[in-house]
Amino acid sequence: MVALVLATTPLFAINIILNQYAERRAVTEMKAMGNVSIHRAEEAISTTVSLLQRLDRDNVQTCSAEDRVIFEKQIVEHGMIDAIGLADASGQRMCIIPDRELAGQVILPPLRVDGPLVGIGMLERSFLGAHAAVISWDLKNQSRLFAEVTPAVIAMDPGPEYLRSYRRTELRLGDNLLWYNVGGYNSIGSDPGEMLNVEVTSELYPLVATITAPASSARQAVQDLKVLAAAACVGIAILFVAIGVWFSWRPESEANDEFIAAIRNGEFVPYYQPVMDIESHRMRGCEVLMRWKRPNGTIVSPGQFMAYAENNGHIFDMTRHIMRVATEEVGTLYGDNPDLKLSINLFAGHFLDRQIVTDIKTIFEKSDISFQQIVVEVTERHPLEDMEFARKIIAELQALGVRVALDDVGTGHGGMAYLQKLGVDIIKIDKMFIDTISSDDNSTTIVDSMVELADNLGMGIIAEGVEMEEQIERLLELGVTAAQGYFFAVPMPAGEFIEFAQRTESEALERERKAAEAAAAAKAASESAMKGAAA
C-alpha cells in the first residue's frame, strides 16, 4: 500500500502539470495562428491599396480602352488580384477587367462625402472558407477604383495538427464582417471553463482573428506523456522502458562516430529519380536523392537519417559528397544532353552563409554538367531563419545560371512569402495534393491555383508523386506538363538511370520517326488523290 501511494501520488500532480502545460502551449499556438491570419490579410490589403493609389496617381481613372489595358496588366503582375474596375457613387460596377456581366450589382456601400479613402468589403465568391475581398479607393470624382482580391490569398489552415482538427478560426473585418473561417467546432452549449479562446487584432486595419478550441484537444498533445507517467508507476515497466531505451538509442557519441565514419567511407550515395515531360514522354532531367548504403548492402531511406544529419551539421559534407559523385556518375550523360536538368536538395542551413555558392562553383565549374543544368530545391517544410540573406544567396546562384525550385509547396511555413521574396524559378506541387487530384475538388482547385500563380509569375511547375494514369490526364487538363513519381520510375542508382535515359530518348525518337513516316504517307496519298482527280 505504501508503494502504491508513493507511485500514484506523483501521477496526479504530473497530470495537473501536463494539462496546464498543454493549455499554455495551445494558447501560444493559437496566438501564432491568429497572427498568421492577420499578417496575411494585412499584406493583401496593403498591397492592393498601394496598387490602387498608384493607378490614381498615374491618372488611370476611367473605363477607357487605354485604362482597361493597364488594369489587365496589373492583374497579370499581381497574382493576388482577380479583377480591377470602377464603381459609381452608389457602389455599382461601371466596368471591370476581366469583362464580366455588370447586371447593376452593388458591391460597395454608397459613397459619403466624409467617407474614408479606402473601403473594404466582401463578395459572395469563396474558396476553402475564404471570401473574395473587394478593396476600393475614392477618386474624389463620384467614382471609386476597386480591386477584387482572390480568396486563395487568405485561404489557409495554419497550426499544429492536434489543434487543427478541433479548433475554429474566424477572421472578421470591421463590424463583424466575416472574411475567412475554417473548422467546424462550435462552442455553443460548452462549458466556458473547458474552452480556450484567443483574439488577435491588427494594428493597421479593423481586423480581428478569433480562434476557439476545446481544452480537451490541447490535452491530447500530452496524452502520450500521461500514459508514460502511468507506466512509470509500475516498477517492471520502468525496467522495460530503460532496457528499450538502451537498445534503441545508443549514446550520442557512438551514433555520431558511426555517422562520421559512414560519410568518410562514402556510404551516402545518390539515387536519381527522372523528371518527365508528360506530353512528349521525354526526360527533362532528374532529382538527386540521398540514400545510405550500408556495408552489408542494406539501403537506408532518408527519413531514417536526414533529420539527424541536419541537426548535427553533417548534411553539408553529405551534400558536397553527393554533388561530386553525381558529376562523376552522370556527367557524361548531361554533357551529351545539355537540355537535361539536375535537381539537388538543400535545407534551411545552406542559406545561412555563402558556402553553398562556393561549393557549387568548385564542384561544377570544371565538370561536364554546366551551371545552367543545375536546379537547387529549397523546401517549404522548414523555415528559413534569415529570408533577406537567403534571397541574396539565391540571387548569386541565379547569376551563375542555376535555377531555384520551391519544393513541397503548400505544406510548410513559407507560402506566398517564399514565392514573393525568394524569387524562385520553379514550383513543385507536393504529393499530398497529387494523391487526391482526380477525386477531391479541393485538391484540384488548389493545383489549378498553383498553376495560375506560376503562369502569372513566369515560373515553371512540376508535379511530384505521380502514380496513376488518371493523375497524368488531370494534370494535362490543368496545364501541368512536367512530373515525377513512381508512375514513371522509382529513384535508381546511376547505371539504371543512364539506361533509363537512353531507352526513353530512343523510344521518343522512334515515335517521332513513325509519326513523320505517317505524315509523309498521308501527304503522298493526298497528292496522289489530287492528281487522279485532275486527270
Side-chain angles (χ1 to χ4, degrees):
M1 290 298 294
V2 171
L4 181 61
V5 170
L6 291 177
T8 55
T9 300
L11 184 61
F12 290 110
I14 289 172
N15 280 335
I16 294 173
I17 293 171
L18 287 176
N19 285 342
Q20 292 176 345
Y21 164 77
E23 292 178 17
R24 288 196 304 270
R25 176 184 171 189
V27 168
T28 301
E29 296 281 6
M30 291 163 69
K31 287 181 180 178
M33 294 158 65
N35 283 325
V36 169
S37 299
I38 291 293
H39 175 72
R40 186 72 64 89
E42 288 176 345
E43 187 176 35
I45 294 171
S46 296
T47 301
T48 306
V49 169
S50 296
L51 167 62
L52 297 178
Q53 287 176 326
R54 188 166 62 253
L55 291 173
D56 182 15
R57 186 179 62 247
D58 295 340
N59 289 322
V60 184
Q61 305 172 348
T62 70
C63 292
S64 66
E66 293 81 3
D67 287 354
R68 292 164 71 92
V69 169
I70 296 174
F71 292 162
E72 187 170 1
K73 181 180 178 182
Q74 296 302 316
I75 293 171
V76 172
E77 292 179 355
H78 295 77
M80 66 174 60
I81 304 297
D82 275 344
I84 299 177
L86 269 83
D88 59 20
S90 66
Q92 295 187 27
R93 295 187 182 109
M94 298 164 60
C95 62
I96 186 169
I97 298 297
D99 288 328
R100 297 179 189 164
E101 180 66 34
L102 300 179
Q105 182 182 5
V106 175
I107 63 167
L108 297 171
L111 196 60
R112 303 196 319 267
V113 175
D114 59 343
L117 286 172
V118 176
I120 309 172
M122 297 297 138
L123 301 176
E124 289 297 324
R125 191 169 76 256
S126 64
F127 168 69
L128 296 181
H131 291 276
V134 57
I135 299 173
S136 65
W137 176 258
D138 190 353
L139 297 176
K140 296 302 181 181
N141 62 0
Q142 294 301 301
S143 64
R144 286 167 284 183
L145 279 169
F146 71 86
E148 296 181 10
V149 180
T150 176
V153 170
I154 198 68
M156 57 194 157
D157 196 10
E161 188 61 36
Y162 76 91
L163 280 178
R164 287 165 55 192
S165 300
Y166 300 93
R167 64 83 187 86
R168 179 173 182 81
T169 300
E170 294 182 347
L171 179 64
R172 295 186 177 273
L173 174 70
D175 296 328
N176 211 31
L177 187 61
L178 182 64
W179 189 347
Y180 167 75
N181 73 91
V182 65
Y185 175 69
N186 192 330
S187 60
I188 296 175
S190 301
D191 180 1
E194 286 298 307
M195 290 194 318
L196 302 176
N197 294 287
V198 170
E199 189 173 279
V200 181
T201 58
S202 169
E203 296 180 358
L204 302 178
Y205 303 105
L207 295 167
V208 178
T210 305
I211 302 92
T212 305
S216 57
S217 65
R219 294 167 191 158
Q220 289 188 10
V222 295
Q223 193 63 36
D224 292 340
L225 295 176
K226 292 180 180 180
V227 172
L228 287 177
C233 295
V234 183
I236 192 67
I238 295 175
L239 177 63
F240 284 150
V241 169
I243 294 173
V245 169
W246 175 256
F247 281 103
S248 300
W249 300 96
R250 294 163 298 166
E252 182 71 15
S253 59
E254 181 183 342
N256 202 45
D257 290 344
E258 180 182 3
F259 217 81
I260 293 173
I263 296 172
R264 185 172 57 248
N265 297 333
E267 295 178 18
F268 295 97
V269 298
Y271 268 47
Y272 307 86
Q273 184 170 39
V275 176
M276 303 297 295
D277 187 313
I278 56 181
E279 287 185 318
S280 66
H281 303 288
R282 270 192 155 97
M283 194 177 78
R284 291 191 177 185
C286 71
E287 179 180 355
V288 183
L289 302 170
M290 195 178 299
R291 297 291 186 268
W292 186 356
K293 189 174 183 180
R294 305 299 295 270
N296 61 4
T298 303
I299 300 296
V300 182
S301 65
Q304 300 182 46
F305 64 82
M306 193 60 73
Y308 180 85
E310 292 176 357
N311 292 335
N312 289 273
H314 297 307
I315 190 65
F316 302 105
D317 287 335
M318 294 163 66
T319 301
R320 282 189 283 268
H321 172 72
I322 288 297
M323 291 192 293
R324 291 191 192 99
V325 175
T327 62
E328 297 168 2
E329 291 185 338
V330 300
T332 301
L333 172 67
Y334 273 72
D336 294 338
N337 298 273
D339 291 333
L340 292 181
K341 303 296 182 184
L342 187 80
S343 292
I344 300 162
N345 287 290
L346 304 182
F347 91 113
H350 280 110
F351 295 92
L352 294 177
D353 57 47
R354 296 186 64 260
Q355 185 60 46
I356 186 60
V357 180
T358 302
D359 290 342
I360 289 177
K361 283 183 179 178
T362 303
I363 294 170
F364 289 100
E365 65 182 350
K366 295 182 180 179
S367 76
D368 292 329
I369 303 174
S370 69
F371 293 134
Q372 288 73 23
Q373 290 178 284
I374 301 171
V375 178
V376 296
E377 299 188 12
V378 53
T379 181
E380 229 190 76
R381 292 183 185 273
H382 304 289
L384 295 172
E385 294 182 18
D386 189 336
M387 187 79 74
E388 293 301 323
F389 190 76
R391 179 66 189 97
K392 293 178 182 179
I393 298 299
I394 286 174
E396 287 193 54
L397 293 172
Q398 290 171 326
L400 294 174
V402 176
R403 303 183 75 194
V404 179
L406 182 60
D407 199 8
D408 307 316
V409 171
T411 65
H413 299 74
M416 292 289 292
Y418 274 31
L419 296 177
Q420 291 175 333
K421 295 181 180 180
L422 293 184
V424 298
D425 305 295
I426 300 167
I427 292 174
K428 299 195 76 173
I429 308 173
D430 191 78
K431 183 180 184 297
M432 70 179 234
F433 298 115
I434 302 303
D435 284 342
T436 56
I437 194 174
S438 57
S439 59
D440 185 354
D441 290 340
N442 286 337
S443 292
T444 300
T445 303
I446 291 170
V447 173
D448 194 19
S449 298
M450 290 183 187
V451 173
E452 182 180 359
L453 179 63
D455 288 342
N456 290 339
L457 298 178
M459 297 177 180
I461 190 161
I462 299 173
E464 295 185 291
V466 175
E467 298 180 352
M468 295 181 292
E469 181 74 31
E470 294 84 352
Q471 294 170 340
I472 295 289
E473 296 171 357
R474 197 72 189 93
L475 288 169
L476 284 172
E477 291 174 4
L478 294 172
V480 179
T481 59
Q484 65 186 91
Y486 285 6
F487 179 82
F488 307 105
V490 300
M492 60 190 85
E496 295 179 24
F497 171 68
I498 292 171
E499 290 178 5
F500 176 88
Q502 293 170 342
R503 183 173 67 254
T504 301
E505 183 62 18
S506 296
E507 291 172 353
L509 293 173
E510 180 63 16
R511 286 193 300 271
E512 290 180 357
R513 184 187 65 78
K514 290 182 179 179
E517 288 178 355
K523 181 179 179 182
S526 176
E527 291 175 351
S528 176
M530 292 176 64
K531 289 179 180 179

